[in-house]
Amino acid sequence: MSREQTPTPHIAAAYDDVAKTVIMCGDPLRAQFIAGKYLENPVQYNNVRGMLGFTGTFNGRKVSVQGHGMGIPSIGIYSYELFNFYDVERIIRVGTCGSFRKDILLGDVIIAMAACTDSNFADKYNLHGTYAPVADWELIRGAVGAAEGLGYPYRVGSILSSDSFYDNNAQTDWTKVGVMGVEMELSGLYLNAAVAGRKALGILSVSDNLATGERMSVEQRQTGLDRMIQIALNLI
Ligand code: HPA
């Protein structure tokens, strides 16, 4: 079934050209960078809307890296097509987030166990209540082990997937219930994974601290990216 639905409107790849594990990030040029730096023999499979996707191997194991754009609607489209038409089993998002707390520092890694949201993305399922989007437990456990093995400071907890980058109230509201920081995609990814019966995890690097106003430099962003990728590649 799914094979016949490929290529899709947004991914110009043949069914077999996408690996069953896909590492995703917001910026397609970052996907290109990751593929070039970490994968053996990367081959580009997508350039529709500039949303670059590559498949190669890591230690001989097939893996894809693809951009997903910004926000839940965008990651919603790409993750839906990957899970449902390419039969992708695991999506690991690596990305940046803003920290809500002074004690969660620039460069810290957040393994996002759960993703609260102010988005209505789950409404289309007509649930009589509020769905709790969560990451896959085995991926969480693997990421924790990898972060410990690599010696990188990490946290495990909940984040907010916000529909608005410029939301002045988010920090005040969500820190009341222990939310660590904010990004814009994971709750959509976790919901799509749940509906498709597949696995997902977000590994985030704190790029700015909304409590102190600190921001990462370009070099710090690179180090944060390298840490997330190394953790993600340990899960392949
Ligand atoms: N808001 C939303 N997404 C983000 C932020 C932010 O402050 N920083 C990094 N990703």
Side-chain angles (χ1 to χ4, degrees):
M1 264 295 285
S2 9
R3 187 180 279 273
E4 282 97 71
Q5 286 166 288
T6 60
T8 71
H10 307 95
I11 303 174
Y15 179 86
D16 292 314
D17 289 348
V18 180
K20 296 303 175 215
T21 299
V22 182
I23 295 175
M24 300 194 81
C25 55
D27 179 354
L29 291 179
R30 195 179 290 162
Q32 185 174 46
F33 170 84
I34 293 168
K37 179 165 177 183
Y38 289 98
L39 301 194
E40 300 128 15
N41 309 312
V43 175
Q44 184 181 314
Y45 64 72
N46 193 49
N47 191 19
V48 177
R49 291 177 183 250
M51 201 55 79
L52 300 169
F54 303 84
T55 297
T57 57
F58 179 76
N59 288 341
R61 289 190 288 275
K62 192 172 170 182
V63 60
S64 296
V65 187
Q66 189 183 318
H68 59 58
M70 285 180 279
I72 290 171
S74 188
I75 198 169
I77 291 169
Y78 293 105
S79 60
Y80 187 93
E81 293 182 1
L82 291 170
F83 283 138
N84 295 293
F85 303 151
Y86 290 94
D87 293 324
V88 164
E89 284 155 18
R90 306 187 299 173
I91 292 180
I92 302 159
R93 160 168 150 71
V94 294
T96 56
C97 69
S99 159
F100 284 154
R101 290 180 8 201
K102 283 192 179 142
D103 64 316
I104 302 180
L105 308 176
L106 296 187
D108 281 3
V109 169
I110 296 182
I111 296 165
M113 182 161 66
C116 306
T117 190
D118 55 20
S119 156
N120 285 334
F121 192 64
D123 276 13
K124 63 182 175 217
Y125 293 104
N126 292 319
L127 304 165
H128 300 289
T130 307
Y131 178 69
V134 288
D136 176 72
W137 164 241
E138 280 174 16
L139 290 178
I140 296 173
R141 188 163 57 174
V144 167
E148 282 180 355
L150 291 161
Y152 296 153
Y154 72 93
R155 311 264 181 161
V156 182
S158 61
I159 53 84
L160 171 68
S161 299
S162 176
D163 270 353
S164 170
F165 186 86
Y166 298 103
D167 179 353
N168 298 324
N169 296 319
Q171 185 186 346
T172 322
D173 280 354
W174 290 94
T175 40
K176 287 187 274 194
V177 287
V179 169
M180 294 179 171
V182 57
E183 52 85 74
M184 301 185 72
E185 289 88 16
L186 281 178
S187 80
L189 174 64
Y190 291 175
L191 179 67
N192 273 355
V195 174
R198 306 290 159 72
K199 297 170 189 267
L201 175 66
I203 304 169
L204 305 172
S205 164
V206 175
S207 62
D208 40 277
N209 189 310
L210 303 175
T212 63
E214 290 170 289
R215 279 168 182 237
M216 271 184 164
S217 64
V218 174
E219 298 79 54
Q220 285 173 313
R221 275 180 185 269
Q222 191 54 51
T223 309
L225 176 66
D226 283 328
R227 288 183 176 189
M228 292 186 285
I229 305 290
Q230 285 167 21
I231 294 170
L233 289 171
N234 260 271
L235 303 173
I236 306 303

